[in-house]
Amino acid sequence: MQRGISLASQANSESLREEGNKHFKAGDYEAALSCYTKAISLTSDKADKAIIHRNRSACYLKLDDFTKAEEDASKAIEVDGGDVKALFRRSQALEKLGRVDQAIIDLRRCLALEPKNKVFQEAVRNLGIHAQEKVRILSSTDSRVDQMFQILLDPEEKDADKKQKAAQNLIVLAREDAGAEKIFQSDGIRLLLRMMDTKKADMILAALRTLVGLCTGHQSRAMAILSAVGIEKLCAVMSMDDEQISVAACSVLQAMFDSLKEGTKKDFRGKEAAIVLDPSRELRSVIHNLLEMLTRPSVSAHGRESALNLLMKVVPRKSFRDPDNGMTLWVIDTGLKKILEVGGSILEVPGSLSVTESTRMSASVLLNKLFDDLKCEAERENFHKLCEDHVRSLFEGHGMDGKLRSMQTVSCLLQGPSEAGNRTLELTGIMESIISLCASEREIDQQVAVEALIHAAGKAKRASFITANGVALLKDIYKKNENDAIRIRALVGLCKLGSAGGTDFSMKQFAEGSTIKLAKQCRKWLCNETIQASTRRWAVEGLAYLTFDADVKEEFVEDKAALQAMFTLAKSQDKTVLFAVASTLVNCTNSYDREEIDPQMLELAKYAKQHVPEEHPKDKKEFVETRVRKLLAAGVVSALVCMVKSESPALTDSSRELISRVFLALVDKAEDRGNVVAQGGGKALIPLALEGTDIGKTKAAQALAKISITSNPEIAFPGERIYEVVRPLVSLLHLNRTGLQNFEALMALTNLAGISERLRSKIINEKAVPMIEGYMFEEHEMIRVSATECMCNMAMSKEVQDMFLVEGSDRFKLMVLYCGEDDERLRRAASGTLAMLTSLQPKLCTRITQVTVHWLEILQALLLSDNIDLQHRGGVIVLNMMTADKEVAEKLMESEMLEILSVLAKNEEEEKKRSVARVAKECLAKAVEIGLIKPTESAEREGP
């Protein structure tokens, strides 16, 4: 019985291996890998296992997993040391892993076994050159590294330019693999530590930037450096009150973290194939130290900001497909209250932590990312409880300063995970204290309370509560307070309440004209350069609310000084203004989502006396288009490009989405697209289309599509950038996108597919071809035509041609039938595809006669068309068919085709018809050549 099971397993193993071989030949390496892995588990025969390991090694090579490719090849070699295929595959893997010396040894063994094998000979020669070059680089680098350290660490060296150049050279060298290795092996870590200990800012910066290069993408070096330098030392440097040094130290820790984290996903082998120990403990240690930094009083404001920014990048999951959010849960349990303490800091309150203008925004963004990373209600409830406990303890147990900090913490939560912020607002006494402190005599009380009031007015029920209880107070503060910083915040509170109806013209909280007056004051403050930028940004916050009103939009775009002031703020170092600027621009361009109201439903609602949203007359299309033109003339594109380049946490996914919406509005008119591209808009749209919310990515992708349709893509997206455009365009082909998005994506991909084989390959690799083919069956004729046009250009690729060769498929039949449709554009696209396919794949010529009995009528109709393009394409198809198969040629010449070609061949006098006449003559000449008609008969038909 046992032997029967063994034989069955062996048979299954062989079947799986054969199936894997088929998948491999077809290019489906993932499927092949799965088959080989199952086959290995089912066989006990050593020789069979070795062959399958060798085959699986080839899969891993194709999938760029060189470590596993080397491991599998080694297992095959252990069984059969003379397996040349396994030896060659291991040498390929070793070369990719940087172990060139070992790769050469394997290749030499291959050559000894098969001395005449030209592939092995060429590989040995290439690797030898590569190894020699590496030795040359290393040897030339030796003296350079020693010399640079000598200049930098010599106390007698007084030439500042020389030192600066040496430092820059060291940084550049560390970015190269050979240079980084040489610095590391030349006692570089100790020397870099000496540079950091000099206490000189330029030396510390040079050392830190060199460390970034050494740690990037190299786990074993990153682990060694972390051990030698120490996490405490790096955190201490990051805590320094120097923004550049703090950011540089943050970059070192991020490079370390990224390299170490990579090692938790797979076995990571160093240069000598030594497996690095699991770095999970070190990763947790880094995060623990960052959390401790947040509330340590000695840490500078810049250091605290850097710690928050790094936690943002390394803690939450990169993708929700990753099931493990354990790091987030651990940070919430051990560090949430520390983050909340930073978010609730107020510089004017004794004992508060030092923070920058943007630190609280960074804390809000981090809290939001942690909350979004939670998977279930229990995890979210724990988050809420921790927040509520922290706010309550501040509010109840630390006097007036505690109440202020609790309100600041609530504001921080409302700007981040608003659900948690709204929960804390419901705590006893919080809302009432916010209202009462607006009337406090202390300026800091008023400032914090008014800010909290602004953030609390986010929901309709809050707006109505605050309108009833706080508007009089805000008006009083705005009119009577002498501190501009507080007045402007009170104004923003009034703006937010005044815009509670949104774009609904009939829903206004305040009297007619009030929003116009508020907006004028906002613009006045925005243009007043004597006021601090951190205060003026609140004027933009006010406009972000007030520009729901179309009258306000119209006046704002006419005020060039106010527009320029806002754009200048958007380009400044203070990135907390990004969301407000983007919101204002979305309102001015009407690029928010609007629901089209069914006229019948509108009448019913009026009859039932239900509230019906009304559009402002100045929000009609012609007004919006005029506003867009004025914004373009004012330089909105350069401001948006600067906003996208920002690496600040303030550039949240929500901000990205708003910027994407504005860009889409700016490129709506074809004549404006060149202007947008010329100012860098095309380049800025690519990251927006790849990162952010689904809506934001879709809007940016649609803007890219519009640009690609009317501009030359090679000019709009020069160099390698053009290949980055493909993925966003393909994303618009998914079924959950609108018909317009599908159509524009197909048009854009048609243009790209016509440029180069490399772009066609990129489109194929993004799995676009099945979707393009699917849209060829679409009922909407414009989408069907654009899909067929796209397929026409894609047919230049061998891989797509092979799809049309597959037996039993209807795709070729569909193309033939489309040549006989009424729609002229569809016929042009289909006949163009058919002409190309029959030229490149002669086997398809006979297939035309098999897919439909109407094939001859379709071809004749093409040649008899009034459209010259259709005639020419029909002639090319007929010529290809006659060249490919004599029997098909006979059928063509026995029909009326001979008469049609003879008539067309005479049309040489008209220039536009010469190309058709030339093809017709070639068809007749081919008929003479294969003996279907006589030369004299042909001459007679052609005339003198």
Side-chain angles (χ1 to χ4, degrees):
M1 182 68 184
Q2 188 65 37
R3 179 169 174 76
I5 294 170
S6 176
L7 288 170
S9 296
Q10 197 68 27
N12 285 336
S13 175
E14 285 175 19
S15 172
L16 281 164
R17 188 174 84 191
E18 287 171 12
E19 191 181 338
N21 293 345
K22 287 177 186 174
H23 285 308
F24 188 88
K25 285 174 185 174
D28 191 348
Y29 306 119
E30 293 281 4
L33 185 68
S34 175
C35 289
Y36 292 145
T37 302
K38 289 174 185 173
I40 287 169
S41 66
L42 290 173
T43 184
S44 55
D45 186 283
K46 278 190 176 182
D48 281 350
K49 264 193 178 178
I51 293 167
I52 302 168
H53 275 299
R54 183 184 72 198
N55 291 359
R56 194 169 71 171
S57 175
C59 284
Y60 283 128
L61 281 172
K62 291 288 186 183
L63 295 168
D64 292 345
D65 193 340
F66 305 116
T67 301
K68 288 184 178 175
E70 185 258 330
E71 286 173 0
D72 265 3
S74 295
K75 285 174 183 174
I77 294 163
E78 282 171 15
V79 176
D80 180 4
D83 187 335
V84 286
K85 283 187 179 178
L87 284 165
F88 184 59
R89 283 168 193 167
R90 187 167 74 173
S91 75
Q92 290 175 298
L94 289 167
E95 182 190 355
K96 294 291 185 182
L97 291 167
R99 289 144 64 188
V100 178
D101 46 351
Q102 294 175 11
I104 289 174
I105 292 168
D106 277 351
L107 271 176
R108 283 176 180 159
R109 284 172 68 185
C110 290
L111 209 52
L113 291 163
E114 293 186 14
K116 294 181 181 179
N117 190 310
K118 290 184 180 178
V119 174
F120 298 160
Q121 289 171 359
E122 185 67 20
V124 167
R125 186 161 49 253
N126 289 339
L127 263 184
I129 293 167
H130 182 77
Q132 285 171 9
E133 181 64 15
K134 194 170 180 182
V135 169
R136 186 189 66 76
I137 291 168
L138 281 171
S139 59
S140 67
T141 305
D142 284 356
S143 58
R144 286 172 63 200
V145 171
D146 295 339
Q147 190 180 16
M148 283 183 276
F149 275 123
Q150 193 174 353
I151 293 167
L152 290 166
L153 294 170
D154 183 0
E156 302 300 318
E157 180 60 69
K158 303 299 181 187
D159 189 336
D161 288 342
K162 195 173 179 181
K163 283 200 168 193
Q164 187 178 1
K165 191 173 181 182
Q168 192 57 43
N169 288 341
L170 196 65
I171 295 163
V172 171
L173 198 63
R175 292 173 186 158
E176 303 166 5
D177 188 50
E181 193 62 31
K182 183 58 197 168
I183 294 169
F184 185 71
Q185 290 176 3
S186 302
D187 199 19
I189 308 307
R190 185 182 63 80
L191 295 171
L192 289 169
L193 279 169
R194 278 183 59 194
M195 287 172 64
M196 289 165 67
D197 290 338
T198 60
K199 309 295 182 188
K200 294 178 182 176
D202 55 343
M203 296 283 273
I204 296 170
L205 274 172
L208 291 170
R209 288 167 180 167
T210 304
L211 285 172
V212 171
L214 297 180
C215 294
T216 301
H218 202 294
Q219 194 205 34
S220 55
R221 270 205 305 260
M223 186 77 93
I225 292 167
L226 182 60
S227 176
V229 179
I231 180 65
E232 293 81 8
K233 170 88 173 176
L234 287 167
C235 286
V237 174
M238 194 162 82
S239 301
M240 291 172 65
D241 194 14
D242 183 307
E243 187 175 5
Q244 278 191 307
I245 290 175
S246 182
V247 169
C250 181
S251 298
V252 174
L253 281 169
Q254 186 175 352
M256 280 182 176
F257 197 97
D258 290 344
S259 296
L260 294 175
K261 195 164 189 181
E262 191 63 27
T264 63
K265 297 176 187 173
K266 61 184 181 184
D267 289 343
F268 196 111
R269 290 172 181 252
K271 191 181 175 211
E272 302 304 324
I275 298 176
V276 179
L277 297 173
D278 179 11
S280 302
R281 188 170 61 84
E282 281 74 13
L283 293 174
R284 202 159 270 220
S285 172
V286 171
I287 292 173
H288 170 74
N289 277 275
L290 291 173
L291 291 171
E292 289 299 312
M293 276 182 68
L294 294 180
T295 52
R296 195 177 295 140
S298 60
V299 174
S300 70
H302 298 304
R304 199 163 277 112
E305 175 105 13
S306 294
L308 286 170
N309 291 346
L310 189 52
L311 286 166
M312 248 180 263
K313 291 170 183 172
V314 301
V315 174
R317 291 171 292 170
K318 294 286 187 290
S319 167
F320 290 137
R321 283 177 291 187
D322 177 3
D324 183 15
N325 68 340
M327 191 69 83
T328 294
L329 296 177
W330 180 71
V331 166
I332 288 171
D333 287 339
T334 60
L336 181 63
K337 291 192 176 180
K338 295 179 191 295
I339 301 166
L340 290 170
E341 193 170 335
V342 176
S345 293
I346 305 167
L347 288 173
E348 293 80 358
V349 172
S352 276
L353 300 168
S354 59
V355 291
T356 68
E357 289 289 344
S358 56
T359 302
R360 286 192 289 267
M361 173 63 80
S362 298
S364 294
V365 174
L366 174 57
L367 288 166
N368 197 53
K369 284 181 177 287
L370 294 173
F371 188 76
D372 285 347
D373 203 35
L374 300 177
K375 296 193 294 186
C376 63
E377 199 53 47
E379 291 175 0
R380 283 186 279 274
E381 192 56 42
N382 177 55
F383 187 96
H384 289 314
K385 187 176 184 306
L386 289 169
C387 291
E388 288 168 18
D389 289 348
H390 180 76
V391 171
R392 192 184 291 110
S393 70
L394 284 174
F395 187 76
E396 293 176 354
H398 295 82
M400 183 53 71
D401 288 347
K403 283 182 169 54
L404 270 187
R405 286 168 58 200
S406 70
M407 289 176 204
Q408 189 70 63
T409 307
V410 170
S411 288
C412 177
L413 285 165
L414 286 166
Q415 291 176 86
S418 56
E419 188 181 322
N422 281 309
R423 284 272 294 261
T424 57
L425 270 179
E426 303 299 328
L427 294 173
T428 306
I430 295 287
M431 199 69 231
E432 292 76 10
S433 292
I434 289 172
I435 295 289
S436 65
L437 281 180
C438 285
S440 171
E441 292 181 3
R442 275 205 317 175
E443 287 185 350
I444 187 60
D445 293 351
Q446 286 187 331
Q447 186 172 314
V448 171
V450 171
E451 280 188 30
L453 204 59
I454 292 166
H455 299 307
K459 290 192 174 180
K461 66 173 184 177
R462 286 275 160 232
S464 57
F465 172 81
I466 295 165
T467 302
N469 295 279
V471 168
L473 274 170
L474 289 172
K475 283 182 178 177
D476 199 48
I477 292 168
Y478 171 58
K479 289 175 181 176
K480 296 178 183 177
N481 203 298
E482 295 179 4
N483 186 325
D484 280 342
I486 294 172
R487 285 187 70 208
I488 202 167
R489 285 167 171 79
L491 176 61
V492 173
L494 290 169
C495 293
K496 190 167 186 178
L497 294 168
S499 64
T503 58
D504 184 354
F505 184 46
S506 63
M507 285 272 293
K508 296 298 170 190
Q509 297 275 351
F510 295 147
E512 187 72 31
S514 294
T515 52
I516 297 288
K517 289 177 186 175
L518 292 172
K520 281 180 180 175
Q521 186 58 53
C522 281
R523 299 205 312 271
K524 183 180 173 183
W525 262 322
L526 179 59
C527 296
N528 187 349
E529 293 186 5
T530 61
I531 300 173
Q532 283 187 337
S534 58
T535 301
R536 281 193 293 137
R537 77 173 176 84
W538 283 94
V540 187
E541 294 272 358
L543 288 168
Y545 298 119
L546 293 176
T547 46
F548 281 123
D549 188 316
D551 288 317
V552 174
K553 301 177 198 182
E554 287 294 311
E555 286 197 4
F556 183 47
V557 296
E558 291 291 345
D559 190 338
K560 292 180 182 177
L563 284 176
Q564 289 304 321
M566 184 175 79
F567 295 159
T568 302
L569 275 178
K571 297 174 185 178
S572 70
Q573 292 295 314
D574 181 10
K575 298 304 179 186
T576 54
V577 77
L578 292 182
F579 187 82
V581 173
S583 298
T584 304
L585 291 172
V586 164
N587 292 341
C588 288
T589 56
N590 282 35
S591 47
Y592 39 71
D593 290 328
R594 284 174 295 171
E595 197 173 327
E596 294 296 328
I597 301 170
D598 186 333
Q600 288 184 326
M601 294 301 293
L602 181 61
E603 291 305 317
L604 281 171
K606 284 180 179 177
Y607 179 75
K609 295 184 180 179
Q610 294 291 317
H611 172 69
V612 179
E614 292 179 25
E615 183 181 55
H616 195 293
K618 292 180 182 176
D619 270 333
K620 294 191 183 302
K621 189 177 180 182
E622 59 270 22
F623 284 93
V624 177
E625 288 175 357
T626 303
R627 289 200 294 266
V628 167
R629 281 198 300 274
K630 288 176 179 175
L631 286 169
L632 283 166
V636 67
V637 176
S638 62
L640 291 170
V641 169
C642 281
M643 290 163 72
V644 174
K645 284 180 183 174
S646 169
E647 293 184 5
S648 165
L651 186 64
T652 59
D653 287 349
S654 301
S655 298
R656 286 173 177 277
E657 181 185 316
L658 294 175
I659 294 169
S660 298
R661 287 176 181 274
V662 177
F663 265 125
L664 183 56
L666 296 178
V667 299
D668 188 54
K669 292 284 181 188
E671 58 266 28
D672 295 328
R673 293 169 195 170
N675 183 16
V676 172
V677 170
Q679 294 182 60
K683 181 181 178 182
L685 277 164
I686 294 171
L688 291 173
L690 296 171
E691 297 175 44
T693 65
D694 284 341
I695 293 172
K697 289 189 289 187
T698 303
K699 300 284 184 189
Q702 193 175 359
L704 286 171
K706 287 179 184 289
I707 290 169
S708 301
I709 291 167
T710 54
S711 306
N712 180 343
E714 291 177 285
I715 295 172
F717 312 106
E720 293 296 305
R721 207 172 293 152
I722 195 169
Y723 301 99
E724 296 178 61
V725 176
V726 173
R727 181 170 295 173
L729 294 180
V730 172
S731 73
L732 295 177
L733 296 179
H734 294 295
L735 293 173
N736 58 349
R737 304 292 185 245
T738 66
L740 178 61
Q741 289 166 348
N742 299 154
F743 172 70
E744 289 179 334
L746 289 163
M747 294 271 284
L749 287 168
T750 301
N751 285 352
L752 293 181
I755 292 171
S756 71
E757 181 56 33
R758 187 179 165 197
L759 271 168
R760 288 189 287 276
S761 295
K762 177 71 174 170
I763 294 169
I764 292 166
N765 291 338
E766 291 294 339
K767 308 285 191 294
V769 175
M771 290 188 275
I772 296 167
E773 188 178 8
Y775 284 114
M776 288 172 63
F777 294 90
E778 177 66 42
E779 286 183 20
H780 194 294
E781 76 177 37
M782 288 179 71
I783 293 177
R784 186 168 68 245
V785 169
S786 58
T788 309
E789 288 175 338
C790 190
M791 188 61 79
C792 179
N793 282 354
M794 288 300 297
M796 288 187 272
S797 173
K798 175 71 167 58
E799 203 166 326
V800 175
Q801 293 163 26
D802 290 343
M803 289 170 52
F804 283 94
L805 286 168
V806 174
E807 295 285 348
S809 165
D810 283 338
R811 59 174 65 94
F812 187 70
K813 178 180 180 179
L814 180 71
M815 205 61 78
V816 174
L817 292 174
Y818 275 179
C819 290
E821 286 285 312
D822 294 332
D823 188 302
E824 194 171 279
R825 270 187 67 194
L826 183 61
R827 291 174 77 197
R828 281 178 60 194
S831 58
T833 310
L834 216 57
M836 190 178 302
L837 287 170
T838 52
S839 173
L840 297 168
Q841 296 291 342
K843 297 177 191 173
L844 290 170
C845 292
T846 53
R847 188 90 63 84
I848 292 176
T849 65
Q850 298 163 4
V851 293
T852 173
V853 294
H854 303 293
W855 66 274
L856 197 53
E857 295 168 39
I858 291 169
L859 292 177
Q860 288 172 354
L862 285 174
L863 288 163
L864 292 170
S865 168
D866 294 332
N867 186 297
I868 300 295
D869 283 343
L870 288 176
Q871 285 186 337
H872 184 262
R873 292 172 191 199
V876 171
I877 296 166
V878 170
L879 178 60
N880 292 338
M881 292 174 74
M882 292 180 69
T883 306
D885 192 282
K886 188 176 179 180
E887 284 184 24
V888 173
E890 285 173 0
K891 290 178 184 176
L892 287 164
M893 291 299 102
E894 287 168 3
S895 70
E896 293 175 4
M897 187 66 74
L898 179 60
E899 196 70 39
I900 295 168
L901 290 170
S902 300
V903 172
L904 291 174
K906 296 174 183 176
N907 291 334
E908 279 197 310
E909 291 179 13
E910 291 185 55
E911 188 176 342
K912 64 177 183 179
K913 294 183 178 180
R914 279 180 194 163
S915 59
V916 178
R918 201 175 301 118
V919 173
K921 279 188 173 184
E922 287 182 48
C923 290
L924 293 169
K926 179 57 69 175
V928 171
E929 183 188 320
I930 56 181
L932 297 179
I933 58 174
K934 295 176 183 177
T936 52
E937 184 184 349
S938 169
E940 283 170 17
R941 288 182 184 279
E942 288 180 23

